[in-house]
Structure formats: structure tokens, C-alpha cells
Amino acid sequence: MSEALTTERRASLKQFFVFCIIGGLNTLIDMGVFMLLVLVDVHYALAQTAAYCAGMANSYLMNRAFTFRAASVRMKDEWRRGLRFLAWNAAMLGLSVLLLALAAEWLQLREWIAKIIVTLLIVPLNFYGSKKWVFTAKHQAELGGGN
């Protein structure tokens, strides 16, 4: 039993590593858009929303293909997975905007410092939700796929 747990733990760590690499690319996209918009005096909340959406599009495609290796499914079922992805990321966006506002307004941190701190807090939570809900094997099995 412990060998199975070790194998499962290694697989999860590998997934998290790939998730973080893809997340790094998403973060570069996100940060680039955010910094550009803040530079031209767009409010940080609107800048965060636009930046997050830019990284999110890349995130879905890359994590679906590489991190969680989601099985190809019928179009109807792909829409369901896409909706779970959008719902989860909308929650992560809302939480990130809230945390960003707390850091920027209440703690008086510069926007880019607040952004870095918030990103470090959101990444593990986003991975957990993506693994357990968005791209979960349970949903893939329901849809006729599997790992």
C-alpha cells in the first residue's frame, strides 16, 4: 500500500511541476498584460481581470494537453469541462482581485509586489481545484475517457 501511495505522490508531484511550468508561462502572459495596463493607468482590478483572462486561455489548452492529459471527449462533454474550468478560474480571479485589493489598499503595497504575493497564494489552490474538479479522472470516466 505504501508503494502505491509513493507512486501516486510522485505522479502528483510531477503533475504539480508541469502545472507550475505552464503556470510560469501563464504568469508571464498575465504579468505582462497586467504591467502594461497598469503602466497606462488602467485600474488594478480591471488590469487584473484582463491579465488573468489572457493567461487563462493559454492555461486551459496547455494544462488539458500536458498536465492532466485530459482525454478527448465528445464536444458536449468538452463544453462541460470548459465550463468547470471557467467557473473555477472565475473563483480564482475573484479571490485574486480581493487579495490584491487587500494588499494594495489596506497594506499599501505597490501593485506589482501585491501581484507577486497573490500569485504565490493562488497557484497551489488553483492546482488543487484543477486536479480535483476541472480535469479530474472521475469526470473523465463519466465522459467515457480515463487515465
Side-chain angles (χ1 to χ4, degrees):
M1 178 108 173
S2 66
E3 186 176 321
L5 282 175
T6 303
T7 302
E8 187 177 318
R9 185 168 284 148
R10 258 187 264 141
S12 286
L13 285 173
K14 181 181 176 187
Q15 270 187 327
F16 185 69
F17 180 72
V18 172
F19 184 85
C20 286
I21 289 172
I22 291 170
L25 176 58
N26 299 335
T27 300
L28 288 175
I29 294 167
D30 181 2
M31 285 286 205
V33 171
F34 180 82
M35 297 303 275
L36 179 65
L37 292 175
V38 167
L39 186 67
V40 296
D41 290 327
V42 172
H43 188 270
Y44 65 80
L46 182 58
Q48 172 66 4
T49 302
Y52 196 91
C53 288
M56 191 171 68
N58 184 65
S59 176
Y60 181 76
L61 295 172
M62 300 289 283
N63 281 309
R64 180 185 177 281
F66 300 110
T67 307
F68 303 108
R69 299 187 193 277
S72 293
V73 294
R74 298 177 310 215
M75 184 60 75
K76 175 182 163 188
D77 298 326
E78 188 65 40
W79 275 99
R80 287 182 190 157
R81 184 180 4 214
L83 289 174
R84 285 193 308 270
F85 179 84
L86 287 173
W88 181 252
N89 277 277
M92 293 298 94
L93 173 59
L95 181 59
S96 70
V97 170
L98 174 66
L99 293 173
L100 192 58
L102 290 173
E105 300 294 330
W106 288 10
L107 299 177
Q108 297 295 308
L109 297 176
R110 297 179 61 86
E111 286 96 347
W112 66 273
I113 293 172
K115 173 74 171 164
I116 290 169
I117 293 168
V118 168
T119 298
L120 291 173
L121 295 172
I122 292 293
V123 167
L125 183 59
N126 197 357
F127 173 76
Y128 183 81
S130 293
K131 180 178 176 73
K132 297 295 184 179
W133 188 55
V134 175
F135 295 103
T136 183
K138 173 185 172 201
H139 288 292
Q140 289 178 16
E142 290 170 359
L143 302 175
N147 288 351

